[in-house]
Amino acid sequence: MSEQTNIGGSSRPANECTRISLGDPPTAQAAFGPRESFIVAYDRMATLGKMARRPSVVVAAIGPYGQVLEALLVEDRRALVVGRHTHCALRLSEDSVSLRHLALLVRYDEQAAPVVHLWDLNTGHPFLTEDQQPSAAVIAEGPVYVALGSYALWVVPSGGVANKGWPTQAEAAWHMLAPRQFIDRRSPRALVGAARPQRLSPRQLRDPEHSFVTMLGPALALDDSDDELPWGEIRIELPGHKQKSRVSAERLEHGVLIGRYERCGIAFSDRHRNISRVHLLLVRIAGEIWAIDTASTHGLWRAERRVTADVLADPDQLKLGDVATVSWRRLPMAAA
């Protein structure tokens, strides 16, 4: 599929999240469980949720001793990256968290319902979902809990629980949450040793009394697999170097990472220091190709404008820092 996957040879953007910061986290201990962390973070989440003026979600990070470390308001079609790096919008300082560990994208669908996409950035340390299963990526239609090392994260729509606002009491709000149901769409290449959650029937999927968390496989490497039809083409240009990779629709739906990290689908030589180890995630969502800056040091640029998350046209072109150009186009024979 790929002709070559290893390439041989700023200032931080304005924060697109509203936040309440409460100090640095300690280390050790296990993550608080779903109920305990929800109760602890509820007042902070409710405060931010009521501040929202556009469709948004509230993201809260809870430390291992039950302290709310940070709470952020992330608007529709915005992204957030979690990790230890200084350019991450949500910083968690424990060594078990990678520099750039988790990417989140908020997208409201045609029915104005919130959809949250979460990806582990090929760290080798996947997050745990509420059912205690390790996950490389999930799509949540409604509230979602994840544990990342000793940290707990809650993502809740700004409209409140069950889209009915924010009750005064945290315990009442917890009991109003619709039960989360887990759907398995992981490929055979998914996490080894993870128990498979039960698949839901079409009748269950239409049940309005539940919210759904769809489990996906990890971002995939590019290779020359004969059993996959090429759907799009990614071109990379550096001074003195050009490279192109054809990618299938399946791999784009899982996501393609670009950076100096050896597990990236398209990996640069380590001598290209202006490219971050994990710089960019390209992913197909609901027919759109998204480019998500994974908290890179030198940024993702469209002309003179720095972007954190953007939908690509066909064709389209972006800059990685000031050294590389990434071009995208859909192949003429590609199916819709």
Side-chain angles (χ1 to χ4, degrees):
M1 188 72 64
S2 168
E3 296 183 5
Q4 181 179 347
T5 57
N6 187 280
I7 299 173
S10 80
S11 63
R12 185 176 179 180
N15 191 356
E16 295 177 332
C17 311
T18 301
R19 67 173 66 206
I20 297 174
S21 182
L22 296 166
D24 295 328
T27 57
Q29 301 297 322
F32 259 41
R35 178 185 173 278
E36 294 82 359
S37 56
F38 181 89
I39 298 296
V40 165
Y42 182 76
D43 287 345
R44 299 290 178 181
M45 294 193 294
T47 297
L48 277 179
K50 294 172 185 177
M51 292 171 56
R53 296 295 177 263
R54 296 186 57 215
S56 310
V57 299
V58 181
V59 181
I62 302 92
Y65 298 97
Q67 73 282 32
V68 182
L69 306 172
E70 196 154 21
L72 306 94
L73 193 63
V74 187
E75 294 184 341
D76 179 28
R77 301 178 79 83
R78 301 295 189 186
L80 174 148
V81 178
V82 181
R84 289 188 290 112
H85 197 276
T86 55
H87 284 266
C88 290
L90 178 53
R91 293 184 64 193
L92 303 177
S93 64
E94 188 179 277
D95 287 344
S96 64
V97 176
S98 297
L99 287 175
R100 301 170 179 91
H101 200 118
L102 185 69
L104 176 150
L105 176 71
V106 179
R107 187 180 59 83
Y108 276 65
D109 64 18
E110 296 81 359
Q111 289 75 43
V115 180
V116 175
H117 301 259
L118 288 165
W119 298 272
D120 172 82
L121 298 176
N122 271 0
T123 63
H125 301 284
F127 55 88
L128 299 180
T129 44
E130 192 171 348
D131 61 347
Q132 293 300 301
Q133 296 301 318
S135 298
V138 299
I139 302 172
E141 301 172 52
V144 62
Y145 162 92
V146 300
L148 190 63
S150 63
Y151 301 99
L153 302 178
W154 265 104
V155 183
V156 180
S158 59
V161 295
N163 206 31
K164 297 178 181 178
W166 299 89
T168 303
Q169 299 298 321
E171 191 70 40
W174 172 255
H175 289 292
M176 287 174 62
L177 286 176
R180 272 70 62 204
Q181 295 286 344
F182 292 84
I183 307 166
D184 188 14
R185 286 183 52 203
R186 290 177 294 183
S187 72
R189 301 169 187 156
L191 302 168
V192 177
R196 299 289 176 139
Q198 182 180 1
R199 290 183 180 273
L200 300 179
S201 68
R203 180 179 178 182
Q204 288 174 305
L205 291 174
R206 293 191 297 267
D207 182 0
E209 299 302 320
H210 294 81
S211 62
F212 300 99
V213 179
T214 302
M215 305 172 72
L216 304 176
L220 301 174
L222 303 184
D223 59 27
D224 297 306
S225 299
D226 294 330
D227 58 345
E228 294 182 13
L229 295 175
W231 192 84
E233 184 177 82
I234 302 167
R235 289 178 177 265
I236 306 290
E237 292 189 28
L238 287 163
H241 183 90
K242 294 183 180 180
Q243 174 247 314
K244 65 179 179 180
S245 300
R246 291 189 168 186
V247 59
S248 69
E250 177 193 11
R251 289 174 191 272
L252 277 171
E253 288 172 356
H254 283 77
V256 175
L257 287 172
I258 298 175
R260 289 188 291 112
Y261 188 41
E262 61 182 5
R263 295 182 185 176
C264 288
I266 299 177
F268 290 77
S269 167
D270 200 52
R271 72 172 180 269
H272 296 293
R273 307 301 296 181
N274 282 359
I275 304 298
S276 293
R277 293 180 182 179
V278 182
H279 199 115
L280 172 65
L281 172 66
L282 292 180
V283 60
R284 185 185 185 213
I285 301 172
E288 296 178 319
I289 305 300
W290 281 82
I292 299 172
D293 181 357
T294 49
S296 66
T297 299
H298 295 281
L300 179 67
W301 299 85
R302 182 181 293 284
E304 300 302 316
R305 178 173 64 91
R306 186 168 183 170
V307 297
T308 56
D310 210 354
V311 175
L312 298 183
D314 181 22
D316 209 341
Q317 181 174 285
L318 297 171
K319 293 276 290 184
L320 302 182
D322 58 358
V323 297
T325 299
V326 178
S327 300
W328 157 260
R329 74 180 181 100
R330 183 172 157 182
L331 296 174
M333 70 287 263

